[in-house]
Amino acid sequence: MRIPCPHCGERAAEEFSYLGDASVRRPAPDAGIDAFVDYAYRRDNPAGALAEYWYHAGGCRSWLVVTRDTSDHRILGAVDARGAQR
């Protein structure tokens, strides 16, 4: 799998570390325990395009939001996480 880093160009996935779904929002500190359980454990596992956080550890050391098709691992695009609209 190759990831198009917006800073370094296309690179092998081995240069990156995967964090997870970029659409999930951490609950407020005063949210109840159920909100944190939902955040940490109760998530959908959709097939299709999904925005994910990836860290370019072997390159520019930037966080990216990579859009990946979970059904075939095809990379649809990548942007710097600082400017990403979620």
Side-chain angles (χ1 to χ4, degrees):
M1 186 165 66
R2 311 254 325 148
I3 297 175
C5 177
H7 307 289
C8 303
E10 190 173 284
R11 302 286 197 230
E14 292 79 18
E15 290 188 14
F16 297 83
S17 297
Y18 172 80
L19 176 64
D21 187 344
S23 67
V24 177
R25 300 282 187 188
R26 183 180 177 90
D30 59 346
I33 189 72
D34 287 337
F36 281 97
V37 170
D38 289 346
Y39 168 74
Y41 301 108
R42 296 183 192 134
R43 300 214 186 148
D44 292 333
N45 188 17
L50 182 67
E52 303 169 324
Y53 285 119
W54 288 75
Y55 178 66
H56 195 180
C60 61
R61 298 184 178 152
S62 294
W63 280 100
L64 308 177
V65 174
V66 176
T67 303
R68 180 176 65 91
D69 189 321
T70 60
S71 61
D72 61 7
H73 299 294
R74 187 170 31 103
I75 302 297
L76 305 172
V79 296
D80 190 294
R82 288 175 286 198
Q85 298 292 323
R86 293 176 288 153

